[in-house]
Amino acid sequence: MSNLLIPSTSRRGFLSGAAALAAGAALPGGALAKAPLANSQVPYYYRFGLGQAEVTVVSDGPLPLGDPGSSFLGLPKEQVYGLLETNFLAKDNVVLEQNIPIVNFGDRLVMFDTGMGFSKAFGPTTGRLLKSMQEAGIDPASIDAIVCSHAHIDHTGGICSAEGKPNFPNAQIYISQVDHDYWLDDARLGTPFKAFGDHARANLRPVRDRIVFFKDGQEFLPGITAISAPGHSPGHTIFNVSSGGKSFVFLGDLTHHPILLTENPRVEFAYDWDPKMSVQSRVKLLTMLAEQKTPVMSYHFAWPGFGNLAKAGDGFRYYPAAMQMLRG
């Protein structure tokens, strides 16, 4: 170390102190920091402001899809694996999040989608919504409205318990009538999507008297406007959420993955009701959101799923927003 950096009068003290530290570290019984492993994680919720409203994102838990080569179609499997590896993501198992925003408008609490609920069709890590809400200090009875992007298992699954009891006793349920009627139709029972129909029935039939249907372009609740985005499901819908001059769009299942379906929006997804229509909706609406620079909340992107989109070649780039750890 240069004498220009440490005055000669203190240099000898610095060196002798360093030597003593080194000697102490080498001695048996020296100061070695030890602590038990925590083996736990922070609570699964995150809050941020939106104009005059407050958004609390809670999680229903990670949802593993398994082999991405079987779920994301239209590209050779090796190319799908390569895209994941290039972005430092596992190529053997795509794991999606389930980010559920609860918006406190001051006079009402509105929740968007409800996770898998009691179904374990995608493994044991899902079904965490009620626990996450408890960690966030939100009573299920305080939810005034549940807005559903569509009626698939991982979006309406938490509305009722396995016994058919509503988990949110004071909430009205908002959903597209097209999606509601399609998934509750008896015709679904003899198809590969039977499980989706069964779960839609289990969660929507017990609350039929609370269901309200919205239309495309309708501001069906103050600050919440429906935007039709069919393809993944017949009546799949995304929503513009606004307060005090600020807004974001809740994407539902417009895109499930920031690389495979956002940077490559023409790739098809195996769980889509109509893959071609889904691609058309995805390209059209992601283009609109990127051009308007509208922030987005993605249901399935990495926690907590809030960020922005920009055009990038033939696709789009997702830019996660920094988490606001200090507020006020």
Side-chain angles (χ1 to χ4, degrees):
M1 186 172 292
S2 170
N3 289 341
L4 294 176
L5 298 178
I6 301 178
S8 59
T9 54
S10 60
R11 185 168 179 267
R12 286 189 297 273
F14 172 80
L15 293 175
S16 61
L21 286 172
L27 292 174
L32 297 174
K34 296 177 67 176
L37 299 179
N39 290 320
S40 63
Q41 190 51 279
V42 297
Y44 221 157
Y45 73 92
Y46 167 65
R47 288 193 173 99
F48 64 93
L50 181 77
Q52 297 170 344
E54 181 178 69
V55 182
T56 302
V57 187
V58 293
S59 176
D60 192 57
L63 189 158
L65 282 182
D67 178 15
S70 300
S71 296
F72 299 89
L73 312 175
L75 293 176
K77 286 188 176 183
E78 290 306 317
Q79 188 173 345
V80 172
Y81 302 147
L83 287 169
L84 293 169
E85 284 189 308
T86 298
N87 287 275
F88 302 95
L89 297 172
K91 69 176 185 178
D92 59 337
N93 184 20
V94 166
V95 179
L96 306 179
E97 269 290 353
Q98 295 180 95
N99 305 312
I100 298 171
I102 300 174
V103 184
N104 185 345
F105 286 95
D107 59 351
R108 65 196 185 283
L109 264 68
V110 181
M111 180 164 65
F112 293 81
D113 288 342
T114 65
M116 289 286 296
F118 59 85
S119 172
K120 297 302 177 185
F122 291 95
T125 58
T126 65
R128 199 187 193 279
L129 173 60
L130 294 178
K131 182 177 181 181
S132 297
M133 291 179 66
Q134 181 182 33
E135 292 170 345
I138 300 175
D139 183 351
S142 69
I143 299 297
D144 298 294
I146 297 172
V147 176
C148 300
S149 59
H150 59 301
H152 279 182
I153 289 178
D154 54 325
H155 295 262
T156 59
I159 293 175
C160 292
S161 69
E163 296 73 35
K165 181 181 178 180
N167 287 323
F168 307 94
N170 298 310
Q172 282 193 306
I173 316 298
Y174 294 82
I175 192 169
S176 155
Q177 184 169 2
V178 170
D179 224 64
H180 173 277
D181 292 353
Y182 182 85
W183 291 111
L184 270 68
D185 189 334
D186 289 345
R188 304 287 81 73
L189 299 181
T191 72
F193 285 104
K194 177 181 181 297
F196 287 81
D198 288 343
H199 218 57
R201 289 163 179 261
N203 282 278
L204 294 174
R205 278 186 169 174
V207 295
R208 180 62 188 88
D209 60 333
R210 302 183 191 179
I211 292 177
V212 178
F213 299 125
F214 51 69
K215 298 184 182 300
D216 179 30
Q218 178 185 3
E219 186 178 7
F220 57 92
L221 287 169
I224 303 175
T225 301
I227 304 170
S228 179
H232 178 63
S233 189
H236 179 261
T237 305
I238 65 177
F239 306 96
N240 187 77
V241 183
S242 62
S243 170
K246 300 292 184 180
S247 67
F248 70 84
V249 167
F250 178 67
L251 296 180
D253 278 1
L254 184 66
T255 173
H256 290 74
H257 198 275
I259 306 301
L260 299 178
L261 291 180
T262 306
E263 294 190 7
N264 302 273
R266 291 166 182 81
V267 169
E268 297 180 2
F269 187 54
Y271 292 89
D272 284 343
W273 166 73
D274 185 330
K276 305 299 183 186
M277 184 184 294
S278 185
V279 166
Q280 291 175 359
S281 290
R282 184 158 52 247
V283 172
K284 173 187 173 182
L285 293 171
L286 292 183
T287 298
M288 178 191 76
L289 295 170
E291 289 177 348
Q292 296 178 355
K293 298 184 178 180
T294 304
V296 297
M297 165 63 69
S298 173
Y299 187 74
H300 283 305
F301 286 8
W303 174 260
F306 189 77
N308 290 274
L309 295 164
K311 196 77 175 69
D314 292 332
F316 306 86
R317 178 76 182 274
Y318 170 67
Y319 294 88
M323 295 176 71
Q324 303 173 14
M325 303 312 295
L326 299 177
R327 293 183 60 196

